[in-house]
Amino acid sequence: MPEENELQSYLLEVRTLLAGLSDQVAAKSKLAEQYKPLYREIVFTAAWQESCWRQFVKKGKGLAALTSATGDLGLMQVNRNTWRSLYDLKQLAGDIGYNSNAGGEILFYYPAVTRSRKTKINKREGTWPARPTQPTTAAPAS
């Protein structure tokens, strides 16, 4: 079954990519050792939830960046409107490594930015707002 083997190979490559980016972001941010496995799982889970680990989809005879109706791009579904001033839109759409790194940085830094802005937590449910406004600071794109 060549298709199944190709899919397994692809998923292993994406897993390796995501593991590497989570290690880089965790090291750059000096994340405590005990939290690195959790952060890695968050990256894996977010990428799966957002895109099923896909950067591209078939469009006609070629490939196109996976794009949502709300403007989210690629593997990590980085929103092109919210993050346009921090990340290069062409690279978010066309480069799986760049997209995954951007998504990993957002997953790491965005909760800290929203907390520092005193974003209100829904105390009854204990949750953050799903889509707060654009952050004023974040990690620069690598």
mmCIF file of all heavy atoms in Angstrom, residues 110 128-132:
data_model
loop_
_atom_site.group_PDB
_atom_site.id
_atom_site.type_symbol
_atom_site.label_atom_id
_atom_site.label_comp_id
_atom_site.label_asym_id
_atom_site.label_seq_id
_atom_site.Cartn_x
_atom_site.Cartn_y
_atom_site.Cartn_z
ATOM 1 N N TYR A 110 1.479 34.236 23.019
ATOM 2 C CA TYR A 110 0.194 34.927 23.023
ATOM 3 C C TYR A 110 -0.531 34.890 24.371
ATOM 4 O O TYR A 110 -1.024 35.921 24.823
ATOM 5 C CB TYR A 110 -0.688 34.372 21.910
ATOM 6 C CG TYR A 110 -1.897 35.219 21.622
ATOM 7 C CD1 TYR A 110 -1.763 36.547 21.237
ATOM 8 C CD2 TYR A 110 -3.174 34.702 21.731
ATOM 9 C CE1 TYR A 110 -2.861 37.324 20.958
ATOM 10 C CE2 TYR A 110 -4.281 35.474 21.450
ATOM 11 C CZ TYR A 110 -4.123 36.789 21.064
ATOM 12 O OH TYR A 110 -5.210 37.556 20.797
ATOM 13 N N TRP A 128 -10.158 31.604 28.728
ATOM 14 C CA TRP A 128 -9.757 32.852 28.076
ATOM 15 C C TRP A 128 -10.716 33.112 26.931
ATOM 16 O O TRP A 128 -11.286 32.177 26.380
ATOM 17 C CB TRP A 128 -8.349 32.719 27.490
ATOM 18 C CG TRP A 128 -7.295 32.589 28.516
ATOM 19 C CD1 TRP A 128 -6.741 31.426 28.972
ATOM 20 C CD2 TRP A 128 -6.665 33.639 29.232
ATOM 21 N NE1 TRP A 128 -5.807 31.697 29.930
ATOM 22 C CE2 TRP A 128 -5.735 33.044 30.108
ATOM 23 C CE3 TRP A 128 -6.798 35.024 29.230
ATOM 24 C CZ2 TRP A 128 -4.938 33.785 30.956
ATOM 25 C CZ3 TRP A 128 -5.988 35.759 30.081
ATOM 26 C CH2 TRP A 128 -5.085 35.152 30.929
ATOM 27 N N PRO A 129 -10.856 34.368 26.531
ATOM 28 C CA PRO A 129 -11.639 34.640 25.328
ATOM 29 C C PRO A 129 -11.030 33.900 24.140
ATOM 30 O O PRO A 129 -9.814 33.774 24.046
ATOM 31 C CB PRO A 129 -11.508 36.153 25.151
ATOM 32 C CG PRO A 129 -11.018 36.673 26.452
ATOM 33 C CD PRO A 129 -10.308 35.556 27.133
ATOM 34 N N ALA A 130 -11.847 33.432 23.228
ATOM 35 C CA ALA A 130 -11.341 32.653 22.097
ATOM 36 C C ALA A 130 -10.501 33.493 21.150
ATOM 37 O O ALA A 130 -9.455 33.063 20.690
ATOM 38 C CB ALA A 130 -12.508 32.039 21.330
ATOM 39 N N ARG A 131 -10.898 34.671 20.826
ATOM 40 C CA ARG A 131 -10.174 35.503 19.868
ATOM 41 C C ARG A 131 -10.071 36.939 20.374
ATOM 42 O O ARG A 131 -10.775 37.822 19.914
ATOM 43 C CB ARG A 131 -10.880 35.506 18.516
ATOM 44 C CG ARG A 131 -11.012 34.166 17.881
ATOM 45 C CD ARG A 131 -9.832 33.870 17.027
ATOM 46 N NE ARG A 131 -10.073 32.591 16.369
ATOM 47 C CZ ARG A 131 -9.134 31.862 15.874
ATOM 48 N NH1 ARG A 131 -7.895 32.235 15.931
ATOM 49 N NH2 ARG A 131 -9.416 30.725 15.306
ATOM 50 N N PRO A 132 -9.178 37.215 21.344
ATOM 51 C CA PRO A 132 -9.007 38.593 21.778
ATOM 52 C C PRO A 132 -8.409 39.432 20.652
ATOM 53 O O PRO A 132 -8.004 38.916 19.631
ATOM 54 C CB PRO A 132 -8.044 38.497 22.954
ATOM 55 C CG PRO A 132 -7.761 37.075 23.165
ATOM 56 C CD PRO A 132 -8.368 36.295 22.057
#
